[in-house]
Amino acid sequence: MAIERTLSIVKPDGVANGYIGKIIARFEEEGLNIRALRKVQLTVSQAQGFYAEHAARPFFGELVEFMTSGPVVLMVLEGENAVSANREIMGATDPLQADEGTLRRLYAESKGRNTVHGSDSPTSAAREIDYFFSQAFDLV
């Protein structure tokens, strides 16, 4: 098994609805360790940069607006196959299609307000972690 790191974000709806603790507890219960954690208010520029790969898609403006609508919690999770483990814990993007017991099935409001983000591959994880965390100072 490979020890990996992945980025997880508790999105503005998850923060506003008081799910931070429940989400963190779930990651820890599933064997993922929190290597860095930060609560921030994303700027429009930060959100646009983070989601730049979606810039041509029709939902981009709505996504940026949502991600800047309130604070988010940024986390670096580490553990065996952390990328796939996190994605399994989160569930499908659409909470109506997510498996019972997944974070999105439990807490998400809709496909667009789906409570959590997780990197979709080790390559994305490395890029996303570097976007929000400096290796020298933020990761322990």
Side-chain angles (χ1 to χ4, degrees):
M1 296 286 182
I3 299 298
E4 297 175 335
R5 288 184 175 169
T6 189
L7 184 79
S8 177
I9 302 175
V10 180
K11 295 180 178 182
D13 58 323
V15 173
N17 291 324
Y19 298 138
I20 299 169
K22 292 177 181 181
I23 291 168
I24 290 172
R26 179 66 182 278
F27 289 142
E28 291 180 328
E29 289 165 5
E30 297 286 342
L32 295 173
N33 298 306
I34 298 170
R35 298 298 303 225
L37 180 125
R38 176 184 298 145
K39 185 177 182 182
V40 300
Q41 174 73 46
L42 295 179
T43 66
V44 170
S45 177
Q46 287 172 320
Q48 288 173 333
F50 184 72
Y51 288 108
E53 66 190 78
H54 301 299
R57 297 196 170 143
F59 62 82
F60 181 70
E62 184 179 327
L63 176 61
V64 169
E65 183 178 334
F66 169 59
M67 291 301 291
T68 58
S69 68
V72 300
V73 174
L74 306 168
M75 289 179 275
V76 177
L77 304 175
E78 183 179 78
E80 289 185 14
N81 298 311
V83 173
S84 60
N86 182 32
R87 296 195 65 78
E88 186 174 321
I89 294 164
M90 289 188 313
T93 302
D94 184 341
L96 297 176
Q97 296 177 0
D99 289 340
E100 289 294 330
T102 61
L103 296 176
R104 288 178 172 151
R105 183 65 174 250
L106 291 169
Y107 306 125
E109 298 172 14
S110 67
K111 187 175 180 179
R113 299 175 70 83
N114 61 12
T115 309
V116 287
H117 164 88
S119 304
D120 64 4
S121 70
T123 301
S124 292
R127 178 182 49 79
E128 292 177 354
I129 289 167
D130 286 346
Y131 190 82
F132 288 117
F133 292 94
S134 129
Q135 296 293 323
F137 298 103
D138 296 329
L139 299 178
V140 293

